[in-house]
Amino acid sequence: AVISVSPLCSLRFVKSCTWHYTQLFILLSPTKKGGMMNRTITVLILTATVLFSSPAMTLSRNEPVALLIQSKGKVMYSPDGITWKNVRRNRFLFEGWHVKTASDGSCKLINQQTGMIETVEVNTHVKIFAKATKAVMGMISTPEPASDFMSLLKRKFAKVQKYSAIKRHSKYKARAELETVRKITLSRDYPDLVWENAGSEYSYRLVIGKNIFDIPASDNDMIRFPLNRMPSGPSDYYVQLIRNGEIAYTPEKKGRIHWMSDAEIKEFREEETRIRETDPAGFLLGNFMDDRGLKVAAMDLYRKFIAENPDANEMRPFLIKIFGDLKLRTLKDAEMAVYHGQSK
């Protein structure tokens, strides 16, 4: 991605984020059957189709033309057909790149321009083009179009886009202040609440309804506090800044915590199990957590994925988005810097 504060380059960054968002939802499991799983797979395929066909997705030389998914066995890719690397995760492919499978290997390709999905069979070598995939050796399946049922994820894509803009934050604060997440879901499995550390000179007072929790000062960028079992349903909360034993700041508006009920947890765990089976790497589960409001759990999954796949720079915008949701400005800015540095 080419990043600049100029309008043209900002548009390029937005286009890049379109691809980033698609990557999250294409972690498929073709062997799974059943209503819920079939709906999940359908939505995942359609996400790629929707975003690939968006007017903002017009091709340029620097944009990928296909997405490799569901790699099984030994699968390799090459920008020039000479130097090959193993595929270890979903991978964007560019014009003129090559993909090769061994006797135990196979994968699927989604073409950006056509929205068609095809399978690269065992012992096959293909070359990637914008309009089609060409078999150099071996066999690829007949391309199949995805269904046109796809409106579910448009709103999510629009939400992610707003995090693509580069913003400069002044580190100077005229007075003590603290911004916390406005709405968040927690549970006995995922009980942690987080907020930005305003400075090592401050301790904190968390107020949830009539309950008060005092949290000591810290040198960490993020304050993390696990809650014990709370009454199910919504509760108002806010965090005060404490300095030298005195209240230095109280927010004007309260946030809202939703504590999951036993019935909600039961339904949630069933879907969580299905998604973990579909995507052991955890990125799809991170998106599920985000959609259900468990922002801290989503952050943990994204951070773990990035730590295990440091070269997966195209995935960082999702972590950046979560940092923004949680009002973790310092962590967000640091991740933005890493992302832009690797994108150069």
Side-chain angles (χ1 to χ4, degrees), residues 186-207:
L186 302 175
S187 73
R188 60 175 178 263
D189 294 332
Y190 303 103
D192 290 359
L193 185 65
V194 303
W195 59 85
E196 175 107 325
N197 189 356
S200 58
E201 67 272 27
Y202 296 105
S203 59
Y204 302 89
R205 181 164 296 155
L206 170 62
V207 182

Side-chain angles (χ1 to χ4, degrees), residues 301-310 316:
L301 286 163
Y302 289 160
R303 295 182 87 178
K304 181 175 182 292
F305 182 92
I306 293 297
E308 293 174 350
N309 300 273
R316 292 185 191 277

Side-chain angles (χ1 to χ4, degrees), residues 22-179:
T22 303
Q23 172 81 353
L24 174 60
F25 290 90
I26 311 300
L27 300 165
L28 309 182
S29 176
T31 62
K32 297 294 179 183
K33 298 185 182 296
M36 180 64 72
M37 185 57 65
N38 287 339
R39 286 196 298 271
T40 301
I41 291 174
T42 300
V43 170
L44 299 182
I45 295 174
L46 291 169
T47 304
T49 305
V50 173
L51 301 184
F52 287 168
S53 61
S54 168
M57 294 294 295
T58 53
L59 290 172
S60 77
R61 264 188 325 186
N62 297 323
E63 292 177 356
V65 299
L67 179 64
L68 186 156
I69 64 171
Q70 293 186 9
S71 171
K72 295 181 179 179
K74 188 174 182 60
V75 179
M76 296 177 288
Y77 73 97
S78 171
D80 55 11
I82 299 173
T83 303
W84 296 88
K85 294 183 179 180
N86 291 326
V87 173
R88 295 185 175 86
R89 58 178 176 81
N90 291 0
R91 170 70 60 177
F92 292 118
L93 303 171
F94 294 79
E95 179 87 19
W97 282 29
H98 300 251
V99 172
K100 184 164 61 175
T101 60
S103 58
D104 64 341
S106 67
C107 65
K108 293 184 182 294
L109 300 175
I110 298 179
N111 182 281
Q112 172 187 340
Q113 188 167 344
T114 66
M116 304 293 275
I117 303 170
E118 54 196 341
T119 299
V120 181
E121 306 290 357
V122 298
N123 292 321
T124 296
H125 175 189
V126 300
K127 190 171 183 179
I128 308 301
F129 295 97
K131 294 184 178 181
T133 301
K134 302 295 184 182
V136 178
M137 179 185 71
M139 185 173 63
I140 55 177
S141 68
T142 301
E144 299 178 356
S147 165
D148 60 355
F149 173 72
M150 50 57 160
S151 61
L152 178 63
L153 296 170
K154 282 187 175 180
R155 292 188 301 273
K156 181 70 176 291
F157 171 59
K159 185 177 181 180
V160 171
Q161 279 186 311
K162 72 178 182 178
Y163 289 92
S164 65
I166 299 175
K167 297 181 180 180
R168 305 300 180 188
H169 302 299
S170 172
K171 294 186 177 181
Y172 172 76
K173 295 181 180 180
R175 61 185 180 87
E177 59 183 37
L178 178 68
E179 189 175 11

